[in-house]
Amino acid sequence: MKSAPFFAFLLFLAAFPAFSSAQNPAPIRYVEGRKIFFLEAGTVSYVFGINEQGQLQHIYWGGRVSRDADFPAAQSSADWSSFDLGSTITPQEYPGWGGGLYVEPCLKVTYSDGNRDLVLHYAEHHIDGNSLTVTLKDMERSLFVQLRYTVYPQSGIIRRESVIENRTDQPLVVENAQSAALYVPRGDGYRLRYLSGRWAGEWQLNQEPVHTGVKILESRRGSTSHQTNPWFALDRDGNSDSEHGPVWFGALGWSGSWRMSIEETPHQQVRVTGGFNPFDFGYSLAPGEKLETPAFYAGYTDQGIGEASRILHQFERTEILPNGSGLRTRPVLYNSWEATEFNVDEPGQRALAEKAASVGVERFVMDDGWFGRRNNDRAGLGDWYVNPKKFPNGLGPLIARVHQLGMDFGLWVEPEMVNPDSDLYRKHPDWAMHFEGRPRSEARHQLLLNLARNDVRDYVFNWLDELVTKNDIAFLKWDYNRNWSEPGWPEVPVDQQKKIYVRYTQNLYDILDRLRKKHPKLEIESCSGGGGRIDLGILRRVEQAWTSDNTEAFDRLTIQQGFTYPYTPHIMMAWVTDVPNLNGRSVPLQYRFLVAMQGSLAIGANLTKWQQEDFTLAKDMVAYYKSIRETVQNGSLYRLTPPDDSNFKASQYVSPDQSQSVVFAFLHSQQFARMLPALPLHGLDEKSTYSVTRFDGKERPDATPGAAKLSGAYLMNHGLDLPLKGDYDATSFKLERVTE
Ligand code: GLA
């Protein structure tokens, strides 16, 4: 029953609509008189308008300003001189290349008559709840662009993409198609953060001042790449620390060649474009044909890079990752790769599965080597039948044993690749990406299947579907172990061949989407020789990602910290493996477990070589992880130490209701018997009291605080005293809210 005062309130709202809209304004508004669009999402405002020339002009992106009247109508910039016309200075939301534009354009085309001028003007718009479509049209020809804006009220993130449509009666070629141009407030002194790396060394954070000129972040490799990840963050004055100050950030949802430009114009305007990589690009559009760009997600916070990451993490968990039935907790996983490499067979895998189950593993994954004549990396890719010598009775008996042990079963696949030494390649040499009559560069002895071809796409879907239908497989580790070379597609007309850059990725997504739809319980990991294909496009279609082939725990601290700038620890797969590992380094098992617990914990060691004490420790560690994993996977992450401190690293995770928190701390080497300073925490309820228990599998009779109760205020202002000593020491604290 609703009360009488409630109805009175409704009547009041009906009588004073201005009151209700001021209290809760629509997330997207258009003010006709001044031709301004207001997008409000969370604590963020994004404002642009139609200027007197009909161009779509950026006005503001930053902290929320809800008073529409504060913003004047868009007014194009005057010419600065005969060398800088107003058209290049005006911050256009989506500038075409034409009319004297020298900044990075969003769109560049060549018409069939050789005309290359493109000047986009506002045509119409449509608002539908949280989404807005603004249609632009060339000033004269029937080339249309739909700019889509979607606001996500929870996170303040705005998603942009564009659809380019040729409504002329002649074909044209799109040479550059970006998703959006983004503008931060005009001025000098910005700092750019981005991630770069290489195989076994992904996720290195770069921080550098932005100066006049263009910085290009890109992959020309056909996929997202280890080289640079499609994410950026900009802050002001170089002094925004991890938890304070304004940060503008963005990430692309595209798993093919991509590019972002971070440009400071001679007029102190920092602007970012992001979309398809224009290198070797040329997408021909027949009359009536359309091209849709990748999604470009943009966010803002005034609470530092730490909050920028947390916004993205939460956004990924709620809006990006497949979560139809709610985000599923990541199970503790075992993977056979580092233990057996290609030498998999039924007895060997059974033995590993039994040992894995004994320490609490929940998912057993058999990696490479189970199919075709795959005894090393020289042969077999493409021949996806179970190797009869290694598994004389198929996969059934191994899967049954894994189930009997209380685990589910996962399998490694690399569907986009083919070894020249395979039945598939001998039958279909034309299915491999190539230029006619040119050598095909092999990498790891393999070639890429041209997934842009629909027959190849369907072949790949069909064998995967059959594999998952015939076997009780809960999980696929989907690998992709090389980048493109000779990206030819000679079977289609010349003017269609460069479509490979778009069609390949679209068909990859299509296979994943169809597979998921047909097998809704199937979970998938995106792997590309480690973290070479992680972006907001693939993450719509997979539950988790393989962070890096570098599983050496000390290196992992830096790799994992870098990973968390854009991506949630929920998807960050982290294995405990054997030592000595990369760099010849050996660190204690206790340290290795605590490093891996900062993401989604897995074991990748050769368990047949472990000693009893290793199993005892592992069992305790896995049980501990299970008691904190909801907080690690779905909580708020605070990076407590700066990225460039490799001697001491610490991280903290807080559950959404602040009732649990977990802290991990790692010391590389103690020098001069120096003690570590107290470690102040974040994100707790200052008025609550927390029980503090330390867990690291080591006896520490002299350590403080040991087990204690401490207030949130103490933990955040004074901080935790750390008992770390010597080399490669590590510890963890679990904090739980108690009533006193
Ligand atoms: C890639 C993956 C590894 C492993 C091997 C198997 O390198 O990143 O984890 O699966 O392939 O060949």
Side-chain angles (χ1 to χ4, degrees):
M1 269 277 285
K2 299 271 190 267
S3 64
F6 177 78
F7 285 113
F9 180 64
L10 282 187
L11 279 174
F12 171 77
L13 287 187
F16 298 97
F19 174 84
S20 57
S21 65
Q23 291 302 299
N24 197 6
I28 299 179
R29 304 186 295 284
Y30 178 63
V31 174
E32 185 75 54
R34 279 171 294 137
K35 299 187 177 172
I36 303 185
F37 296 93
F38 293 92
L39 275 57
E40 283 193 336
T43 57
V44 179
S45 287
Y46 187 102
V47 184
F48 59 95
I50 307 162
N51 68 23
E52 79 295 350
Q53 299 193 25
Q55 296 162 330
L56 215 57
Q57 179 173 336
H58 183 78
I59 297 177
Y60 173 76
W61 177 29
R64 188 138 171 182
V65 183
S66 291
R67 190 169 178 272
D68 297 355
D70 289 345
F71 293 96
Q75 178 74 42
S76 68
S77 306
D79 295 350
W80 169 253
S81 69
S82 58
F83 297 95
D84 281 309
L85 302 183
S87 54
T88 208
I89 304 173
T90 302
Q92 293 186 62
E93 282 285 290
Y94 198 82
W97 183 74
L101 187 93
Y102 306 119
V103 294
E104 288 290 325
C106 280
L107 186 61
K108 182 177 185 314
V109 302
T110 296
Y111 295 99
S112 53
D113 62 359
N115 195 322
R116 306 192 305 284
D117 191 47
L118 179 64
V119 176
L120 293 168
H121 285 164
Y122 168 87
E124 60 181 23
H125 75 268
H126 177 70
I127 296 172
D128 184 8
N130 289 346
S131 66
L132 159 70
T133 305
V134 182
T135 304
L136 307 179
K137 180 191 170 299
D138 176 59
M139 63 197 298
E140 177 249 334
R141 299 195 175 200
S142 291
L143 180 105
F144 285 79
V145 184
Q146 293 192 331
L147 303 186
R148 286 198 211 129
Y149 296 79
T150 310
V151 303
Y152 295 88
Q154 292 267 299
S155 57
I157 284 181
I158 293 168
R159 168 184 166 148
R160 289 190 55 185
E161 67 245 301
S162 63
V163 182
I164 300 134
E165 188 179 356
N166 177 9
R167 288 196 217 155
T168 72
D169 56 7
Q170 294 294 318
L172 58 86
V173 179
V174 177
E175 286 152 355
N176 181 358
Q178 300 300 296
S179 306
L182 301 169
Y183 297 82
V184 295
R186 185 186 294 277
D188 280 325
Y190 281 91
R191 169 174 61 176
L192 170 68
R193 287 184 174 95
Y194 68 99
L195 292 157
S196 65
R198 67 205 73 83
W199 177 79
E202 308 90 326
W203 312 110
Q204 310 290 319
L205 185 75
N206 301 279
Q207 315 190 64
E208 62 190 39
V210 176
H211 295 303
T212 309
V214 189
K215 171 92 184 183
I216 297 291
L217 310 180
E218 68 171 350
S219 163
R220 297 181 178 193
R221 297 164 179 263
S223 69
T224 323
S225 92
H226 303 77
Q227 175 186 332
T228 322
N229 194 265
W231 165 84
F232 78 91
L234 287 163
D235 64 16
R236 244 14 233 281
D237 306 326
N239 61 8
S240 298
D241 72 10
S242 59
E243 300 298 334
H244 302 96
V247 181
W248 294 259
F249 55 94
L252 275 172
W254 185 242
S255 313
S257 289
W258 59 273
R259 191 184 75 159
M260 285 183 189
S261 68
I262 292 88
E263 173 177 22
E264 181 171 337
T265 71
H267 301 273
Q268 290 74 52
Q269 176 63 66
V270 174
R271 61 196 295 280
V272 181
T273 63
F276 293 125
N277 195 324
F279 179 81
D280 197 35
F281 197 80
Y283 197 97
S284 84
L285 281 184
E289 216 180 334
K290 295 181 187 174
L291 171 63
E292 179 170 339
T293 69
F296 197 4
Y297 301 87
Y300 168 82
T301 176
D302 62 2
Q303 291 169 52
I305 190 73
E307 183 66 8
S309 295
R310 287 187 292 277
I311 289 172
L312 274 173
H313 296 172
Q314 176 70 5
F315 179 70
E316 287 152 10
R317 289 192 298 260
T318 54
E319 302 290 346
I320 298 288
L321 291 166
N323 64 353
S325 52
L327 206 57
R328 285 175 280 198
T329 303
R330 297 294 81 225
V332 176
L333 180 152
Y334 178 83
N335 178 289
S336 66
W337 174 245
E338 290 198 25
T340 54
E341 295 207 340
F342 301 96
N343 301 320
V344 298
D345 60 16
E346 197 182 310
Q349 295 296 301
R350 267 173 181 265
L352 284 172
E354 279 154 19
K355 294 199 181 325
S358 77
V359 297
V361 165
E362 297 158 311
R363 171 171 291 169
F364 181 83
V365 182
M366 178 160 66
D367 209 280
D368 201 350
W370 59 269
F371 54 91
R373 285 183 300 278
R374 185 78 169 161
N375 299 315
N376 50 49
D377 60 12
R378 293 178 169 270
L381 282 176
D383 299 339
W384 297 102
Y385 60 87
V386 180
N387 182 300
K389 279 204 194 110
K390 298 177 181 181
F391 298 92
N393 301 307
L395 296 177
L398 175 63
I399 296 178
R401 180 64 184 138
V402 166
H403 288 164
Q404 215 177 39
L405 291 163
M407 302 181 288
D408 65 25
F409 182 78
L411 200 60
W412 180 94
V413 291
E414 194 175 6
E416 298 151 84
M417 301 288 169
V418 65
N419 285 118
D421 185 0
S422 67
D423 297 341
L424 184 72
Y425 189 74
R426 281 182 280 272
K427 197 167 165 205
H428 294 290
D430 54 321
W431 281 12
M433 210 178 268
H434 69 285
F435 285 122
E436 210 56 73
R438 308 285 299 179
R440 304 171 181 203
S441 303
E442 292 177 23
R444 208 192 190 205
H445 313 288
Q446 63 197 57
L447 299 170
L448 269 138
L449 291 176
N450 183 0
L451 223 60
R453 290 175 55 137
N454 288 347
D455 53 352
V456 175
R457 174 199 64 188
D458 293 342
Y459 168 82
V460 169
F461 171 80
N462 287 337
W463 74 254
L464 280 164
D465 178 36
E466 193 180 315
L467 178 75
V468 180
T469 304
K470 286 198 176 147
N471 299 284
D472 196 346
I473 292 172
F475 168 82
L476 291 175
K477 174 179 170 184
W478 184 303
D479 212 337
Y480 177 88
N481 272 311
R482 61 161 295 176
N483 291 135
W484 291 17
S485 60
E486 299 94 24
W489 187 3
E491 299 80 21
V492 295
V494 173
D495 67 347
Q496 301 294 309
Q497 293 182 0
K498 286 185 176 176
K499 285 189 172 171
I500 192 169
Y501 285 105
V502 176
R503 287 283 168 80
Y504 184 102
T505 303
Q506 285 174 340
N507 277 352
L508 168 68
Y509 289 168
D510 179 73
I511 297 170
L512 286 162
D513 292 345
R514 275 156 74 196
L515 204 58
R516 299 191 63 92
K517 196 158 180 224
K518 194 145 177 223
H519 306 277
K521 289 201 183 125
L522 179 71
E523 296 196 344
I524 302 176
E525 173 176 296
S526 177
C527 173
S528 171
R533 192 160 63 188
I534 303 175
D535 58 77
L536 297 185
I538 201 87
L539 290 182
R540 286 192 166 281
R541 297 157 170 100
V542 298
E543 275 72 16
Q544 59 189 52
W546 182 219
T547 313
S548 176
D549 273 353
N550 183 347
T551 61
E552 193 286 308
F554 174 66
D555 279 9
R556 266 288 175 139
L557 285 175
T558 308
I559 287 173
Q560 293 182 176
Q561 187 174 15
F563 182 99
T564 65
Y565 281 88
Y567 303 115
T568 165
H570 183 100
I571 62 161
M572 184 173 76
M573 294 309 295
W575 301 354
V576 173
T577 54
D578 290 325
V579 290
N581 206 295
L582 209 76
N583 312 306
R585 194 175 288 124
S586 292
V587 304
L589 186 57
Q590 164 253 9
Y591 181 101
R592 283 177 265 153
F593 261 103
L594 293 173
V595 169
M597 278 188 208
Q598 294 175 99
S600 187
L601 176 69
I603 299 175
N606 188 348
L607 300 179
T608 59
K609 298 214 171 124
W610 273 21
Q611 304 301 309
Q612 191 46 50
E613 65 261 27
D614 300 330
F615 285 105
T616 308
L617 180 67
K619 211 171 162 183
D620 289 349
M621 287 283 180
V622 169
Y624 177 68
Y625 180 70
K626 287 178 180 170
S627 79
I628 52 147
R629 71 172 150 188
E630 284 298 331
T631 299
V632 170
Q633 295 180 9
N634 301 325
S636 299
L637 167 68
Y638 295 86
R639 292 177 292 259
L640 301 180
T641 48
D644 50 5
D645 186 350
S646 54
N647 197 45
F648 173 56
K649 285 230 182 288
S651 62
Q652 183 200 356
Y653 302 72
V654 183
S655 66
D657 65 358
Q658 296 176 304
S659 67
Q660 190 189 62
S661 180
V662 57
V663 177
F664 298 97
F666 305 88
L667 178 66
H668 178 266
S669 299
Q670 191 176 23
Q671 274 195 302
F672 318 118
R674 202 157 40 202
M675 288 187 303
L676 287 164
L679 187 68
L681 305 184
H682 291 272
L684 302 174
D685 174 11
E686 58 179 12
K687 295 207 175 70
S688 292
T689 304
Y690 292 87
S691 68
V692 182
T693 47
R694 203 187 62 249
F695 181 82
D696 54 26
K698 268 191 181 179
E699 288 298 316
R700 293 184 199 268
D702 57 339
T704 53
K709 284 183 187 170
L710 295 168
S711 70
Y714 176 92
L715 288 161
M716 292 196 289
N717 292 311
H718 174 279
L720 279 173
D721 291 315
L722 299 168
L724 300 180
K725 285 195 162 140
D727 292 344
Y728 300 120
D729 199 3
T731 197
S732 155
F733 295 91
K734 177 158 68 172
L735 281 57
E736 300 208 76
R737 183 157 49 200
V738 288
T739 38
E740 278 189 305

